Amino acid sequence: MHKFSTLLKDQPSIHESRMSSKGYAVWMVWSGELSSAIPSTFRDFGGMEVSTAENQSLWFFFTTDVFLAMGRLQVWATLNVLPVFIQVIPTSMQVGFQLEQALSIPSDLFGQQTMPPDDFQVLVHPDLRAVVESIPGITLEDYDRNITGMAAASWKLLHGDPRIGFKSSLGWYFILKPLGNPQDKKFIEGWRAYFAEVEGILKRLKLKYIIKDEFLIFSLENFGALKTWCKEILNLVQQVKSNDDLAYWPTVMAAVDKAGYQFNEELPKKVAVDWDKMAPDFPHMSYATAFMLGEPFKIKDVSYSFERSRFTDWCYVHMLADGEEGASGSLPMVMPVGMLAGEEHPCFYCGMRNHTEAECPSKSLVSMDAEVWKVLAHMDLDEMNEALAQAGAQIKDDAVAMLPQLLKGKDAASHVTKVIYEMHAPLQLRMVPLIWRSLGKELPGGLNKLAPPESTTPIRALTLLQEGDAAQAERMAKEGALRNPRDYQYRTLQGFLALERGEIERAISFWKDAELLGETPLQYAYHKYLQGRGYEVQGNFDKAMALYKEAGAICPRWVELRYRQSACLVKMGFSEHVVGLLDDMVDESPHIFNRILVDPEMERGHVQIMSSLWDRWVMAEEGAKDALEKLSQLSEELDDWFGKDKDFNKEMQHQTSVLMELDGTNNFVVFTRIIKGRMQLARKLKNKINAEIKFLEKQGKTFRERLKTINDEISWFPFPRALREFNKDFNFCVTKLNWIHQQHFQVARNFRKSHEYLDEVEQKLNRLGMRLVTLKIVRDSTLFALILSKGFMWLEIICLGLALILVPAAVYVAEVRDMNWLRELIQGQRWALQKGLVIILSVVALILATLRTAIIFEKRKKELFERAKGQT
C-alpha cells in the first residue's frame, strides 16, 4: 500500500509564510518503472515536484493547466500501457522566508492510501468540478467504485478528448538588454561581438527574435524551451568570462509571462521592471516561474525591490556554485530549410516536402547501401551540419533536379543526402524485390535468406516503374492481377502505382489486400508497415501508430517500426514522450543516434530531442576519453604480460591501434565503438590471461611429472661421474619449476617470466629425454650384464663340477661293464676329453644364463627399483 502521508511527513513547518498561492496538488502512484514522459509532461504544463517516495510522488500546479496535462496523458494512455494512479486535489502552497515550501492539504486527505495501479486513472476532487467542466475537451464522470483507503468524497474520473490537442498555456517572452551607452564605441564593438555568441544559441534553438532600441526580444513557447535557454545563456556567460578569446558584454535579462502581453517592439516598455537596477547576467523572472525551473537553478531575491511576497514578484536565478554541475545543453544540429520546406505533403519515400512521389529520386536507387552509415559515423557534428547546409542550399530552389545529382555525388553533402534516403529504404521500391524473394519469416532477418532472382512479370513491371514507365507497369500489373488474383505481389505493385498517381488511400487499400493475400509473417508485417506510412504522410498518426504497433508484434526485432512510431509521436507534438523510446533504440544500435540527428521528419521535436540527446553525447564523449586512456594502458599491459614477440600481443596491439586512430572524431558512433572496443579487448585479454594461467599450471604439473620420471630412471645409472651435464640441466629444471610453482600468476612480471622459464624448461626436458635414452641403454646393459654374470657363474660352477665327475664316472662304468674299448679310449685321451667337456658345458651354461637373464630381466629390474624405493 502507498500512503499519502509518506509524502507529507517531511514537509517543513512554516509558522509565518512569506508568500502563498492557491493551486492544485497531484498525488501520483505508479507500478513498476515510471515512464519519463509523465514527469516531463507535468513540468511542461507548469508542475513542480514537491516530494517523492517509492513509486509515488507529489506535485503542485499553479494553474488549471494541470487538467490539460491530465487530458494529454489520458490520450497518451490510450496508446500505451500506463499503470499510473493520479489524484488531483485543491491546495495552496506556502513559502517561508528561506524559500522552503509546504502544501496545505485538508486533514481528511492525510490518511489516504492505495494499492499499486494496473491502469491509468485520474481522479478529481469534487470541489474542482466547476473548474474542470469549463475546460474544453475535459469531461468528468462519477466514479462509483469503492476505493479502499481513499477519502470519503464524490471523486470524479477525468477523461480527455483525443481529438483535442491539449497544449500548455504557459509561455514567456524573453528580453535581453546590454548595459552601457549605445553611442559608445566600446559598447558597439563589445555588444556586437557578444551578440554573435548569443545569436549562435538563438539559431541553434530555432528562436525567432526582434531587436528594437538595443532590446533583444524573442518568444519561448514552452517550459522546456525556457529551461534550455536559461541553461544555455548562463553557461555562455560563464564560458565567455573564463575564456579571454571569447567576447563578453554585460546584459540584463528577463523572462516575462505571456499573459497580458503581445510580441512586439513595445514590449520592454510595458513590462513592470526597472532595467537599470537589475543584476547583470542572470535571468530575471517571477517566483512562480523560478520555482517551476527547479534544479539545477537556485533562486535569488532581487536587491532593488521589497516586493517579495507574491509569486508574481521578480527574482532571478543562477546555476549551482561551480556553474556547470547538473547543467545540460543541446546538440548543435541545424536542419536546413531546403530539407524541410515545400508545398507538397511529405514524400512517402523520403519524407521531404519539396517533391511528389512520382518525382522522388529514390526510384533510381537499386540496392541497399549500408556503407553510408559508416561514412556518416566518421563525420564530426560540425561536418554533418556543414554537409546538411550545403545539401539544403543545393536543393532549396530546384529539389527535383538537384537531388538525383546529390545521390550520385561523392562529397559530404551527397553522403548526408544518401543517409536520409537510406534511412527510408524500407519504404522505397528497392525494398520490394527483397520482400518478394525473401525465404524468412521475420524482418529484418528474413532479408538474409533470399531466393535466386528471377525475371517474373511482377519484377519486370517493377523495373518499368523504377525506370519511369508507369503506364506500361500499370498495364502489366492489372493484367497480372486478373490472371493471378491470389498473388499478393501484383497488389503490392498496384499500391505503389496508385501512390505514384497521388492516390494514397487507394494505395493503402491495395496494400491491405496484399496483406490478406500474404503467406508469411514477414509479408504481413511489411504491408502493415506500408499502410502505416500511408496514414503517416496523410497526418493520420493514430492509425499509423496502430499499424506500426501491429507490425511490431509480428516482427519485434525490426527497429524501424519503433522508430516510425517515435516519428509519429514527434509529429503529433509528443516530443517529450519519445525520449525513452529513442534511448532504447540507441542502446540497440548507435547508428540510430546519427539517424535522429539528420532525420528531417524529427524536426518538430528538434529542440527537445537534441536536448535529451545531449546527456547521452556527454556520457559517451567522456566514456570514449576514458576508454582511450585505458587503451593506452592496455597497450603497455600487453607488453608486460606477453612481450612484443607474441602473436597474441601483435594482434591485440593492431586492434588497439585501430581504435586509438578513431581519436579526434566527434561522433556518437565512434565514441560507442571506442568504449565497446576497449571493453571487448579488456575482456579478451582477461580471458587469455586466465586461459594461459590454466595452461601454465597444467604445463608445470606435466613438466614436474616428466622430471620425476627422469629422476626415477636416472637414479640407477651406475656411473654418476658421467652425469655432470645431465645433472646440470636436471637441476635447472627443478629450480625453475619450483619457482614457477610458488608464483602468483596474476602479476604480469611473474606471468611473463613463468612463460619464459617454461619454454626453457621444455627445451631442457626434451634434451634430457634424448640423453636419457642413451643412459637407459647403458644402465640396462650394465644391469643385464650383472644378472647374466651372476647366472652364468652359478651355471659354470655346476658345469665344471659335472666335467670333473663325468670322466671318472665314465671310466668306472667302462670297468664295471667290461667295456675295455671305452676305458682305453678315455684313458688315452683323458685330458682332451676333459677340456672339450669343460668347453661344451661352459657354452651351454652361457646360453642358459643368457636365456634365463632375458626372461627374468624386466621382472628383476622392477623388483630391484621397487625395493630401493621402499628403502628410501
Side-chain angles (χ1 to χ4, degrees):
M1 295 290 285
H2 298 286
K3 297 181 179 181
F4 188 35
S5 59
T6 304
L7 298 169
L8 301 172
K9 64 180 182 180
D10 294 328
Q11 277 200 126
S13 178
I14 301 177
H15 301 289
E16 184 180 357
S17 63
R18 174 175 168 180
M19 59 186 76
S20 176
S21 174
K22 292 183 178 181
Y24 308 91
V26 172
W27 176 32
M28 178 169 61
V29 179
W30 63 89
S31 299
E33 184 175 356
L34 180 65
S35 171
S36 60
I38 296 178
S40 177
T41 299
F42 282 4
R43 293 188 180 95
D44 286 346
F45 284 78
M48 299 165 43
E49 188 175 34
V50 177
S51 177
T52 185
E54 184 179 0
N55 283 69
Q56 61 174 332
S57 62
L58 179 63
W59 293 71
F60 176 79
F61 289 76
F62 287 97
T63 69
T64 56
D65 275 15
V66 60
F67 302 109
L68 299 177
M70 298 304 121
R72 188 165 191 172
L73 290 175
Q74 178 73 47
V75 176
W76 169 250
T78 62
L79 303 174
N80 298 270
V81 178
L82 291 179
V84 177
F85 168 80
I86 295 176
Q87 186 184 81
V88 184
I89 57 179
T91 187
S92 64
M93 172 171 278
Q94 310 294 324
V95 176
F97 286 90
Q98 301 301 320
L99 299 182
E100 64 272 26
Q101 306 162 29
L103 297 183
S104 298
I105 303 294
S107 59
D108 59 326
L109 301 179
F110 263 77
Q112 293 188 112
Q113 55 185 3
T114 184
M115 297 291 291
D118 297 322
D119 55 6
F120 185 81
Q121 286 185 338
V122 178
L123 296 185
V124 178
H125 195 276
D127 291 348
L128 301 177
R129 180 174 180 176
V131 177
V132 177
E133 288 180 345
S134 65
I135 301 174
I138 302 294
T139 58
L140 296 178
E141 295 180 1
D142 291 333
Y143 195 73
D144 299 326
R145 278 188 276 175
N146 184 21
I147 308 177
T148 304
M150 300 297 292
S154 300
W155 295 100
K156 305 297 179 181
L157 186 64
L158 182 145
H159 288 282
D161 189 345
R163 296 170 299 179
I164 302 296
F166 297 104
K167 295 183 179 179
S168 173
S169 63
L170 295 177
W172 293 266
Y173 296 124
F174 202 93
I175 307 171
L176 188 147
K177 179 182 182 293
L179 299 179
N181 183 2
Q183 306 301 322
D184 186 55
K185 182 179 179 181
K186 290 183 178 180
F187 174 92
I188 296 173
E189 294 176 353
W191 168 235
R192 180 186 298 145
Y194 183 60
F195 175 74
E197 303 288 345
V198 175
E199 188 179 31
I201 303 177
L202 292 170
K203 288 183 177 180
R204 177 152 47 85
L205 299 181
K206 303 186 181 305
L207 299 173
K208 297 180 180 179
Y209 62 89
I210 57 175
I211 297 179
K212 175 66 175 177
D213 297 332
E214 310 306 327
F215 282 98
L216 172 65
I217 311 167
F218 53 91
S219 175
L220 298 171
E221 299 297 333
N222 53 56
F223 172 81
L226 173 67
K227 190 167 187 176
T228 300
W229 166 259
C230 290
K231 288 181 179 180
E232 290 284 350
I233 194 64
L234 288 173
N235 283 333
L236 175 64
V237 169
Q238 184 191 18
Q239 290 172 12
V240 297
K241 284 184 176 181
S242 60
N243 190 338
D244 295 335
D245 295 331
L246 298 176
Y248 166 72
W249 192 260
T251 58
V252 291
M253 57 193 87
V256 183
D257 294 335
K258 281 188 175 182
Y261 296 101
Q262 296 295 324
F263 184 64
N264 54 44
E265 298 174 348
E266 301 299 316
L267 179 63
K269 298 178 181 178
K270 298 178 179 179
V271 176
V273 62
D274 191 343
W275 298 99
D276 295 329
K277 294 182 179 179
M278 295 171 62
D281 299 329
F282 294 107
H284 289 63
M285 59 193 68
S286 67
Y287 281 101
T289 301
F291 280 122
M292 284 191 289
L293 283 178
E295 297 293 337
F297 299 96
K298 297 298 182 183
I299 302 175
K300 296 284 289 185
D301 299 322
V302 295
S303 59
Y304 61 86
S305 173
F306 292 102
E307 296 180 354
R308 304 173 186 175
S309 59
R310 295 173 298 180
F311 280 96
T312 55
D313 290 337
W314 289 97
C315 66
Y316 68 89
V317 297
H318 67 99
M319 300 286 276
L320 296 178
D322 59 2
E324 291 189 5
E325 182 182 348
S328 63
S330 177
L331 290 178
M333 291 299 298
V334 179
M335 189 61 62
V337 176
M339 294 283 188
L340 303 171
E343 299 178 355
E344 306 293 340
H345 65 76
C347 175
F348 182 94
Y349 298 125
C350 66
M352 296 187 190
R353 295 175 176 268
N354 47 29
H355 60 266
T356 65
E357 285 81 7
E359 298 169 330
C360 186
S362 63
K363 290 190 285 294
S364 65
L365 304 173
V366 179
S367 59
M368 305 293 180
D369 185 10
E371 291 298 317
V372 298
W373 293 108
K374 297 180 181 178
V375 175
L376 186 68
H378 287 83
M379 295 175 66
D380 289 343
L381 284 184
D382 292 339
E383 293 175 9
M384 285 189 203
N385 269 324
E386 185 178 352
L388 282 170
Q390 292 174 1
Q394 292 183 47
I395 66 175
K396 184 177 181 180
D397 297 325
D398 191 355
V400 176
M402 295 305 300
L403 279 172
Q405 296 183 26
L406 282 171
L407 291 176
K408 295 176 183 177
K410 301 293 184 182
D411 59 352
S414 296
H415 282 305
V416 172
T417 307
K418 290 176 184 177
V419 168
I420 293 174
Y421 275 83
E422 192 63 28
M423 72 175 67
H424 294 95
L427 297 164
Q428 298 164 8
L429 295 178
R430 52 178 160 160
M431 180 71 167
V432 178
L434 302 180
I435 296 296
W436 290 350
R437 291 169 52 199
S438 175
L439 301 176
K441 294 184 178 181
E442 280 192 25
L443 286 167
L447 300 181
N448 298 325
K449 303 175 183 177
L450 300 178
E454 298 179 1
S455 182
T456 61
T457 301
I459 289 292
R460 292 196 299 273
L462 179 64
T463 303
L464 288 172
L465 177 58
Q466 289 176 304
E467 293 173 352
D469 192 353
Q472 180 65 10
E474 177 114 29
R475 185 185 63 80
M476 294 177 66
K478 286 183 178 179
E479 292 177 357
L482 291 173
R483 288 194 305 268
N484 303 280
R486 303 298 299 172
D487 190 340
Y488 79 92
Q489 295 182 3
Y490 291 106
R491 297 292 190 276
T492 306
L493 184 56
Q494 286 180 306
F496 282 105
L497 287 165
L499 182 67
E500 294 282 319
R501 297 193 302 268
E503 301 174 2
I504 299 180
E505 285 292 344
R506 184 69 173 150
I508 294 173
S509 177
F510 278 121
W511 290 326
K512 179 64 176 177
D513 294 341
E515 176 197 342
L516 298 175
L517 295 174
E519 299 174 351
T520 66
L522 179 146
Q523 294 163 9
Y524 303 149
Y526 174 67
H527 290 99
K528 284 183 180 292
Y529 171 62
L530 294 179
Q531 295 171 61
R533 177 62 170 179
Y535 285 118
E536 180 185 345
V537 296
Q538 292 183 97
N540 195 338
F541 302 118
D542 289 334
K543 284 188 176 180
M545 290 181 62
L547 285 163
Y548 290 145
K549 197 171 288 187
E550 290 175 15
I554 300 172
C555 298
R557 295 183 181 87
W558 198 14
V559 180
E560 173 67 15
L561 297 170
R562 282 180 282 153
Y563 187 87
R564 293 255 55 88
Q565 291 181 63
S566 300
C568 287
L569 286 170
V570 171
K571 293 176 181 180
M572 293 171 68
F574 289 92
S575 303
E576 64 274 14
H577 296 291
V578 305
V579 174
L581 299 175
L582 295 177
D583 277 343
D584 292 341
M585 287 185 279
V586 170
D587 289 338
E588 295 179 31
S589 172
H591 289 290
I592 296 292
F593 191 99
N594 284 345
R595 175 175 180 174
I596 298 168
L597 296 182
V598 299
D599 188 355
E601 296 198 81
M602 288 290 190
E603 177 60 21
R604 185 174 184 184
H606 182 85
V607 173
Q608 295 92 332
I609 294 172
M610 292 303 109
S611 296
S612 68
L613 293 179
W614 171 259
D615 292 335
R616 294 281 311 239
W617 174 274
V618 171
M619 289 176 60
E621 187 176 33
E622 293 176 352
K625 289 179 181 178
D626 181 62
L628 286 168
E629 294 177 1
K630 291 181 178 178
L631 279 172
S632 179
Q633 298 172 6
L634 182 66
S635 179
E636 297 175 0
E637 289 178 13
L638 284 166
D639 290 340
D640 293 339
W641 283 96
F642 293 97
K644 296 183 178 181
D645 298 329
K646 294 289 184 180
D647 292 338
F648 177 77
N649 187 14
K650 293 178 180 178
E651 177 190 351
M652 291 282 285
Q653 292 287 7
H654 172 69
Q655 296 178 16
T656 301
S657 62
V658 169
L659 290 175
M660 295 185 73
E661 287 173 1
L662 298 174
D663 185 19
T665 302
N666 292 322
N667 191 290
F668 183 83
V669 176
V670 169
F671 295 157
T672 305
R673 183 181 173 189
I674 292 173
I675 294 169
K676 291 185 176 179
R678 200 281 307 173
M679 294 174 64
Q680 290 172 356
L681 290 179
R683 193 181 305 115
K684 189 175 181 180
L685 174 61
K686 182 179 179 180
N687 293 338
K688 180 67 175 178
I689 290 173
N690 291 336
E692 288 295 316
I693 288 174
K694 291 180 180 179
F695 172 78
L696 286 173
E697 293 173 347
K698 183 179 179 181
Q699 195 79 332
K701 184 177 180 181
T702 302
F703 286 171
R704 286 193 295 274
E705 293 291 336
R706 285 180 61 183
L707 201 62
K708 184 178 180 182
T709 302
I710 292 173
N711 181 55
D712 291 342
E713 294 289 347
I714 204 63
S715 61
W716 303 101
F717 188 73
F719 311 112
R721 292 185 179 180
L723 297 177
R724 288 182 180 177
E725 287 297 322
F726 188 94
N727 288 336
K728 183 178 179 181
D729 290 345
F730 183 87
N731 291 334
F732 175 86
C733 294
V734 171
T735 302
K736 298 307 180 187
L737 288 176
N738 285 336
W739 185 89
I740 293 172
H741 185 63
Q742 297 170 2
Q743 299 309 307
H744 182 60
F745 293 135
Q746 294 294 343
V747 178
R749 179 179 175 277
N750 296 345
F751 176 88
R752 184 178 171 185
K753 245 182 173 356
S754 297
H755 254 297
E756 294 173 355
Y757 285 162
L758 276 182
D759 292 340
E760 295 177 11
V761 167
E762 186 175 17
Q763 295 176 4
K764 298 286 187 182
L765 284 175
N766 291 336
R767 188 161 65 178
L768 288 174
M770 294 173 61
R771 296 179 64 186
L772 182 62
V773 173
T774 303
L775 295 175
K776 285 175 68 176
I777 292 173
V778 175
R779 183 201 67 187
D780 290 352
S781 299
T782 304
L783 182 59
F784 188 89
L786 291 172
I787 296 173
L788 175 64
S789 299
K790 181 180 179 182
F792 174 72
M793 181 183 68
W794 287 108
L795 288 174
E796 182 68 10
I797 291 172
I798 293 172
C799 289
L800 289 176
L802 289 175
L804 293 175
I805 295 171
L806 285 176
V807 174
V811 173
Y812 173 75
V813 171
E815 289 181 352
V816 171
R817 299 293 180 101
D818 198 17
M819 300 172 67
N820 294 327
W821 60 273
L822 180 59
R823 180 168 53 92
E824 292 175 356
L825 177 63
I826 292 173
Q827 288 180 350
Q829 300 183 14
R830 182 172 183 174
W831 293 112
L833 288 172
Q834 187 80 34
K835 185 169 65 175
L837 184 60
V838 169
I839 292 172
I840 292 170
L841 290 175
S842 296
V843 170
V844 171
L846 180 60
I847 293 171
L848 291 175
T850 302
L851 291 173
R852 175 180 175 275
T853 302
I855 293 171
I856 69 170
F857 177 74
E858 290 298 331
K859 182 179 179 181
R860 291 296 305 278
K861 181 177 74 171
K862 186 176 179 181
E863 289 176 352
L864 288 171
F865 288 177
E866 288 180 351
R867 191 185 307 159
K869 286 181 181 179
Q871 292 176 357
T872 58

